[in-house]
Amino acid sequence: MTTADERTNLAGLDRAELAAVVAGLGEKPFRAKQLWHWIYHRGETDFANMTTLGGPLRAKLAEACAVRRPGVATEQTSTDRTRKWLLRFDDGNEAETVFIPEEDRGALCISSQVGCTLTCTFCHTGTQKLVRNLTAPEIVGQLMLARDSYGEWPSPKDGRLLSNIVMMGMGEPLFNYDNVAQALKIVMDPEGLAISKRRITLSTSGVVPEIHRCGAELGVNLAISLHAVRDDLRDVLVPINKKYPLKELVAALRAYPAANNARRITIEYVMLKGVNDSPAEAREMIRLLKGIPVKFNLIPFNVWPGAPYEMSPPHVIRRFSEILNDAGYSAPIRVPRGRDIMAACGQLKSASERARKGRATAMAAQVGGTA
Ligand code: SF4
């Protein structure tokens, strides 16, 4: 376990928190604005380089504060350029971040929890118990770390490779709403990291009470982990459906304040062989979502060790997509990325856990003589 730096980490603080730190150092409020610029626009981590701040203030800051990123346990880059980081936080807990590059842009997939509150049966992360919510600095830190990795400082206005953010990593972001909201407000601030709400998509499995709030307060794009169009099946695949069944979920989508024809809600649908991939289910999905501005993302299931499902055959997925297309919807089939580095949701994390367990069991055997 790394020994945590006791100094106040300024990376991930919002404007009010930064102003409080500056006031605590006995400095004038405008210093907080300068610090914001250096931390979030310039990506600077060394106070000595913050040349618009006087020498005495820089010395005071270096004494009491730091600008840190989450620790990196491993960084891997796939043959298809997908990059994945396993992050290790001060308390030793781990989560992952993945960057999926396209030609001249790309999406950074950010985690919001260590493990997950939920247990979706097709998802590897769902097999990992929730350890804890990530804090706002740990969420913002994922973007800042990725920018370091691609040298994207100061915050470029145009020509960014790290152009989009998807809250689709580990965890259910709406079960960590306050930290996620604080983090995204920092990320969207035009004088700092400056990523527009139109380039941020938050994916939820269906925490209905928070969906409207997310749209009203953050105004980001919404994605829904739908994966089934009947309650009996969705209760199994996405157990939160037992609490907020399809009727309530669909009503929340119909009322989502930040959706319109130009900003459609993304319906994520994992293609599971013989489970949810029939033409009848495609037609039922069209009926269910009629009148709501949506687009579909069909995800060929990514098999993981011990997974209880198989991926639907390619011709079945194509047929499913055609039915949605014929009804006037965009329904691309997602191309799996980074498989060679196990970039599928939550895979890397599990590997770390198992190793530690193995060690613990071995140690227990040594100590007690019984495994
Ligand atoms: S799909 Fe999302 S909400 Fe469901 S278990 Fe996986 S990470 Fe959690």
Side-chain angles (χ1 to χ4, degrees):
M1 177 101 82
T2 52
T3 49
D5 177 335
E6 300 306 323
R7 295 174 298 164
T8 305
N9 181 15
L10 303 184
L13 297 191
D14 64 20
R15 285 187 181 270
E17 290 167 330
L18 212 50
V21 168
V22 164
L25 293 171
E27 295 290 331
K28 296 204 168 42
F30 79 92
R31 293 296 188 188
K33 210 168 159 29
Q34 291 178 311
L35 268 173
W36 184 272
H37 174 80
W38 280 109
I39 294 169
Y40 293 121
H41 178 70
R42 308 285 288 267
E44 188 53 65
T45 58
D46 185 348
F47 295 114
N49 298 333
M50 300 183 183
T51 49
T52 57
L53 307 178
L57 173 52
R58 280 184 264 161
K60 243 199 283 189
L61 282 165
E63 184 76 25
C65 305
V67 181
R68 294 187 298 119
R69 310 288 193 248
V72 175
T74 59
E75 175 177 312
Q76 298 171 283
T77 302
S78 153
T79 49
D80 68 17
R81 299 188 306 127
T82 299
R83 187 166 292 177
K84 190 170 190 170
W85 298 268
L86 180 66
L87 310 177
R88 184 166 295 147
F89 302 107
D90 291 347
D91 61 359
N93 279 309
E94 299 165 339
E96 60 191 357
T97 307
V98 174
F99 179 62
I100 305 136
E102 304 302 338
E103 213 35 58
D104 56 359
R105 47 198 289 281
L108 186 70
C109 182
I110 288 183
S111 292
S112 57
Q113 298 182 309
V114 175
C116 187
T117 312
L118 299 170
T119 55
C120 305
T121 50
F122 58 86
C123 173
H124 209 187
T125 308
T127 65
Q128 293 159 356
K129 289 203 172 32
L130 174 70
V131 178
R132 67 171 175 80
N133 282 336
L134 294 183
T135 63
E138 290 168 339
I139 295 169
V140 175
Q142 296 173 59
L143 170 60
M144 300 178 85
L145 178 130
R147 283 228 174 133
D148 296 345
S149 184
Y150 286 90
E152 285 212 336
W153 297 111
S155 287
K157 280 271 168 287
D158 312 304
R160 292 179 173 155
L161 193 60
L162 287 147
S163 57
N164 292 58
I165 286 188
V166 291
M167 296 299 303
M168 292 182 188
M170 300 178 60
E172 168 50 67
L174 294 186
F175 271 140
N176 184 17
Y177 184 83
D178 294 341
N179 291 325
V180 166
Q182 181 182 345
L184 291 182
K185 286 174 185 164
I186 293 170
V187 166
M188 292 190 282
D189 186 301
E191 290 178 354
L193 296 162
I195 298 203
S196 150
K197 62 184 178 184
R198 294 170 182 282
R199 293 192 170 276
I200 299 175
T201 301
L202 183 143
S203 175
T204 177
S205 54
V207 185
V208 168
E210 300 291 4
I211 290 178
H212 193 275
R213 186 178 172 202
C214 171
E217 288 180 13
L218 302 175
V220 296
N221 305 322
L222 184 70
I224 294 290
S225 284
L226 190 69
H227 308 309
V229 291
R230 303 190 325 273
D231 278 320
D232 60 333
L233 177 57
R234 197 163 188 269
D235 285 353
V236 175
L237 296 179
V238 189
I240 194 171
N241 193 70
K242 294 175 197 152
K243 189 162 184 194
Y244 308 115
L246 285 166
K247 194 159 171 286
E248 289 182 39
L249 177 57
V250 169
L253 301 188
R254 212 173 283 288
Y256 189 66
N260 54 49
N261 279 338
R263 294 184 69 197
R264 290 173 171 259
I265 296 170
T266 303
I267 303 296
E268 298 171 301
Y269 199 89
V270 66
M271 301 301 297
L272 305 170
K273 185 178 179 184
V275 174
N276 64 350
D277 58 0
S278 70
E281 274 148 320
R283 285 188 283 274
E284 173 56 14
M285 186 140 69
I286 294 165
R287 189 199 64 72
L288 192 67
L289 299 169
K290 195 166 178 42
I292 304 176
V294 298
K295 58 185 176 182
F296 297 94
N297 209 331
L298 304 182
I299 307 163
F301 175 58
N302 188 74
V303 179
W304 37 271
Y309 304 110
E310 287 176 65
M311 184 182 93
S312 303
H315 73 276
V316 170
I317 302 177
R318 277 196 301 278
R319 178 76 192 108
F320 203 93
S321 172
E322 279 158 18
I323 292 169
L324 299 171
N325 282 333
D326 294 348
Y329 292 100
S330 143
I333 300 167
R334 189 184 293 180
V335 177
R337 297 291 302 270
R339 273 194 172 154
D340 56 336
I341 58 169
M342 290 176 63
C345 183
Q347 259 181 342
L348 197 63
K349 163 99 185 123
S350 321
S352 315
E353 257 179 29
R354 244 200 321 283
R356 192 174 308 124
K357 266 198 203 120
R359 252 199 325 277
T361 319
M363 273 161 64
Q366 274 159 13
V367 174
T370 56

